[in-house]
Amino acid sequence: MDTQPQPSSAFDQVVLPHLDAAYNLARWLTRNGHDAEDVVQEAFLRALRFFGGFHGGNARAWLLAIVRNTCYDWLRRNRPSEASASFDEEVHSSAVDPNPTPEDLLIEQSGRLRLREALETLPLAWREVLVLRELEGLSYKEIADVAGIKMGTVMSRLARARAGLQQQLAIGLERK
């Protein structure tokens, strides 16, 4: 009986736990759930094909780099104008109410919708670093590795993305 792990078994153990992160990144970059599913499927096929070249390390960052590249390829094929579009932080933390009122839930839902809409208005390159940092929790170095850019560029894009997001949120509040 062969006791060596099968390549797909190792792939399942190392890469599959990061499926949600892959979908999350693809969803924010494509701005569409169905397109994100297609991109993630293609990215996982690429990851499986090149898994033999993965020699350990941060599997999540490795996979997200593949997802990112697959997204950009997909955008160039399907939305060429978006793929080539050019392009201070306040962190709100509050205690979570264990018994929110219906009004609290509605306000929270409205806030999430405004945030989503504001994030989707940002240029792709800014949206990408913001999602990787704030939603996926990657370090600046990991983002630089995933995006294939210098760490200074990560910090610059992140600062611009945060300022742009803050501006979009302020504009949304002025309209109300």
Side-chain angles (χ1 to χ4, degrees), residues 80-155:
S81 62
E82 186 172 341
S84 63
S86 64
F87 155 60
D88 292 303
E89 178 186 357
E90 285 186 33
V91 178
H92 297 24
S93 62
S94 60
V96 176
D97 185 357
N99 301 310
T101 66
E103 181 182 11
D104 292 337
L105 293 173
L106 184 59
I107 290 169
E108 182 181 330
Q109 181 181 7
S110 173
R112 268 191 254 134
L113 180 60
R114 276 199 334 259
L115 180 59
R116 173 174 290 236
E117 289 171 349
L119 186 54
E120 288 184 354
T121 66
L122 296 178
L124 182 61
W126 294 1
R127 198 168 59 239
E128 171 186 50
V129 295
L130 197 59
V131 167
L132 290 172
R133 178 69 183 149
E134 303 301 341
L135 300 180
E136 294 304 325
L138 268 61
S139 69
Y140 292 166
K141 181 178 180 345
E142 289 170 326
I143 295 169
D145 292 343
V146 167
I149 56 178
K150 295 180 180 178
M151 201 165 2
T153 304
V154 169
M155 292 186 281

Side-chain angles (χ1 to χ4, degrees), residues 68-86:
R68 175 203 183 264
N69 293 337
T70 304
C71 275
Y72 276 90
D73 290 346
W74 186 91
L75 287 169
R76 276 190 287 278
R77 283 191 315 267
N78 296 287
R79 297 185 211 150
S81 62
E82 186 172 341
S84 63
S86 64

Side-chain angles (χ1 to χ4, degrees), residues 50-70:
F50 296 107
F51 187 66
F54 177 69
H55 302 293
N58 188 337
R60 183 173 182 216
W62 177 78
L63 176 64
L64 291 177
I66 294 171
V67 170
R68 175 203 183 264
N69 293 337
T70 304

